[in-house]
Amino acid sequence: MRDFLVAGNWKMNGSSAANAELIDGIVAGLPAGSGFSLLVCPPFPYVAAVVSQVQGSPVKVGAQNVSEHEKGAFTGEVAPAMLRDSGCEYVIVGHSERRSIYGESSAQVAAKFVAAQAAGLTPILCVGETLEEREAGSTEAVVDEQLDAVLDAAGIDALGAAVIAYEPVWAIGTGMTATPEQAQDVHRHIRERLAAQNADIAAGVQILYGGSMKGDNAAGLLAQPDIDGGLIGGASLKAGDFLAIAEAAASIKT
Ligand code: PEP
């Protein structure tokens, strides 16, 4: 059975004081039980402080982006080894905001995925379609292209040490959530695509849902057989909102 991962993507939000209050609130309110993990992904400048603040708690820390390069003359970039050195365990790659605002291609995302794993990080690979693509009936084709770029670059075995997040772009930050059935259909499709190459890896990989997940819709989404947690933006910025999703995960596992 796969565990749940409840991951908060703080995006470009927070401050030292606000982060400390948020982490205190999360750690103080952690639901009891097992079968789920919590992860927070702060902006780069706060990673080290958050790593030290969560020490002794089960909360893990990740980053929101990473360079595909190992080191050198890449002004403004952050190398995978630096994130690992700072205490990160995970890194998000290919978030739709990176793809659409910063023009990251699927090939570049795949290179980031490979570089992250080489440094000992677990990549969280984001895939998902826009509203226009969904309405045109090309959801699966879009997700396949994003997934295949990583499979081609890294190989199926690499997915055994990674997490996938299905994030329909039209649901991110909009308050429009995919229905549990819409999300499950895509999650099942992703797992079947991986299973065509390696059934064991497909069965073990965590596939998170992301897109306006909140305390009041998490239980329905997490009850789906191929949804293994959430990648959460807005609702990860308040301890109570984030914990409500963690509670939904905990109650399904107990
Ligand atoms: C995200 O940024 O990955 C996300 C899912 O955001 P939100 O939960 O705010 O839709």
Side-chain angles (χ1 to χ4, degrees), residues 5 37-42 47 51 54-55 57-64 80-92 116-117 119-124 161-163:
L5 177 63
S37 305
L38 297 193
L39 168 71
V40 294
C41 299
V47 162
V51 165
V54 299
Q55 242 170 30
S57 87
V59 178
K60 300 171 183 187
V61 181
Q64 301 171 18
M82 295 172 185
L83 294 178
R84 195 71 198 99
D85 192 29
S86 304
C88 279
E89 292 182 62
Y90 291 81
V91 64
I92 298 168
Q117 277 193 334
L121 296 161
T122 300
I124 300 176
V163 175

Side-chain angles (χ1 to χ4, degrees), residues 9 11 95 97 126 167 171-175 210-214 231-235:
N9 172 14
K11 309 196 189 191
H95 191 279
E97 288 153 16
C126 298
E167 299 209 299
I172 296 178
T174 59
S212 299
M213 189 185 259
K214 305 210 177 336
L231 181 56
I232 298 130

Side-chain angles (χ1 to χ4, degrees), residues 15-254:
S15 65
S16 299
N19 300 347
E21 191 183 327
L22 178 52
I23 294 293
D24 279 350
I26 292 171
V27 171
L30 282 177
S34 57
F36 64 94
S37 305
L38 297 193
L39 168 71
V40 294
C41 299
F44 289 137
Y46 300 120
V47 162
V50 172
V51 165
S52 96
Q53 213 192 334
V54 299
Q55 242 170 30
S57 87
V59 178
K60 300 171 183 187
V61 181
Q64 301 171 18
N65 183 30
V66 69
S67 173
E68 65 271 43
H69 302 289
E70 200 184 324
K71 63 176 178 177
F74 300 101
T75 301
E77 292 290 294
V78 175
M82 295 172 185
L83 294 178
R84 195 71 198 99
D85 192 29
S86 304
C88 279
E89 292 182 62
Y90 291 81
V91 64
I92 298 168
V93 297
H95 191 279
S96 66
E97 288 153 16
R98 301 292 321 170
R99 293 180 192 263
S100 66
I101 304 172
Y102 299 100
E104 289 186 10
S105 66
S106 291
Q108 189 181 7
V109 171
K112 290 181 179 218
F113 181 105
V114 169
Q117 277 193 334
L121 296 161
T122 300
I124 300 176
L125 169 68
C126 298
V127 298
E129 82 289 359
T130 63
L131 189 56
E132 295 67 35
E133 289 164 340
R134 173 162 283 265
E135 286 173 350
S138 47
T139 297
E140 291 186 357
V142 170
V143 167
D144 289 352
E145 185 275 328
Q146 295 169 340
L147 196 56
D148 289 355
V150 171
L151 286 168
D152 291 347
I156 182 67
D157 289 353
L159 270 296
V163 175
I164 297 171
Y166 167 57
E167 299 209 299
V169 178
W170 48 272
I172 296 178
T174 59
M176 275 168 70
T177 317
T179 65
E181 295 71 25
Q182 282 174 321
Q184 167 59 21
D185 282 349
V186 182
H187 282 235
R188 184 197 305 111
H189 171 77
I190 292 170
R191 205 176 298 285
E192 284 174 356
R193 194 162 184 87
L194 299 180
Q197 295 196 27
N198 185 315
D200 289 342
I201 285 179
V205 70
Q206 289 172 314
I207 308 178
L208 315 184
Y209 167 78
S212 299
M213 189 185 259
K214 305 210 177 336
D216 59 6
N217 60 29
L221 288 157
L222 295 174
Q224 298 300 311
D226 288 299
I227 300 185
D228 308 313
L231 181 56
I232 298 130
S236 71
L237 296 174
K238 286 195 184 142
D241 294 347
F242 192 56
L243 288 170
I245 298 169
E247 290 284 357
S251 64
I252 290 173
K253 288 291 176 191
T254 50

